[in-house]
Amino acid sequence: MSRQGIDRPAGVSIAAFVLSIMACLGLLLALLSIGALFLTHNPIIPKIPAVRIFFVCFDLLTLAVVVWCFWTVTGLFQLKPWARFSIMAIGAMDLCFFAIQSVGLVVIRSKYDFSGLTIPNGSTTHPGQIEISSLLLAVAAIDGVLALIGLWWLVYFNTRQVRLAFAGEMRQV
């Protein structure tokens, strides 16, 4: 049976779109990190070769994951069977990484006293400070949403309808 006769579930297209947005953001962050490492004088990153090698390896790993995500997006739109397993692996990593990070940030926020610690918001029109504890909570919430996306992919791509679509057994009505 040809792949043109298969009805792609809408959730597959939505998941591919969400993954492509996440991959684009990951690519942007990796490129900004590489730029900050090599094109600017950054007092946070010392000019110690071992430290620079670590950051280069981390950026290369990030770029490899981004390429894997784009490759998976292509496979999802074509309903390639391997793409279903690939997005479930990405979803499992996403769930683990962002859930641990979210919980960790909430634990850090509750364990340490950040009262009085602020970051200037940099705005000239609305001067003020951003409280660190509020920032940690906001980042933890964003991480929680990203973890839920990974959970969604794990559950959704294991449903019968999606498994059949990737097996090529659904026909367009």
Side-chain angles (χ1 to χ4, degrees):
M1 175 187 303
S2 74
R3 291 278 177 193
Q4 288 80 17
I6 298 172
D7 185 24
R8 180 177 45 243
V12 173
S13 298
I14 294 169
F17 179 72
V18 169
L19 181 58
S20 65
I21 289 173
M22 290 172 72
C24 287
L25 291 174
L27 179 62
L28 177 66
L29 290 174
L31 293 176
L32 288 173
S33 176
I34 291 169
L37 186 62
F38 292 111
L39 302 176
T40 64
H41 172 69
N42 192 334
I44 296 174
I45 303 173
K47 291 195 181 258
I48 300 171
V51 172
R52 293 205 175 252
I53 289 171
F54 170 79
F55 280 105
V56 166
C57 290
F58 182 78
D59 290 336
L60 289 174
L61 177 64
T62 302
L63 289 174
V65 170
V66 166
V67 168
W68 176 23
C69 290
F70 283 126
W71 178 58
T72 301
V73 167
T74 303
L76 287 172
F77 281 119
Q78 297 172 357
L79 290 179
K80 299 288 186 183
W82 57 262
R84 181 177 153 263
F85 295 108
S86 182
I87 195 166
M88 287 190 304
I90 293 168
M93 290 188 325
D94 175 86
L95 174 62
C96 290
F97 177 80
F98 288 111
I100 289 170
Q101 186 167 300
S102 180
V103 169
L105 288 172
V106 170
V107 168
I108 288 171
R109 182 180 181 267
S110 65
K111 188 172 183 167
Y112 298 102
D113 181 25
F114 291 104
S115 60
L117 292 176
T118 58
I119 301 171
N121 71 2
S123 172
T124 56
T125 57
H126 301 293
Q129 305 289 318
I130 300 171
E131 293 183 25
I132 298 235
S133 63
S134 298
L135 182 64
L136 289 175
L137 192 59
V139 172
I142 292 169
D143 286 344
V145 169
L146 292 171
L148 289 175
I149 290 172
L151 179 63
W152 163 48
W153 290 341
L154 284 171
V155 171
Y156 179 74
F157 283 92
N158 273 310
T159 61
R160 185 175 188 278
Q161 177 188 10
V162 174
R163 285 194 322 263
L164 291 174
F166 279 91
E169 297 178 18
M170 288 182 58
R171 292 197 179 119
Q172 191 171 8
V173 179

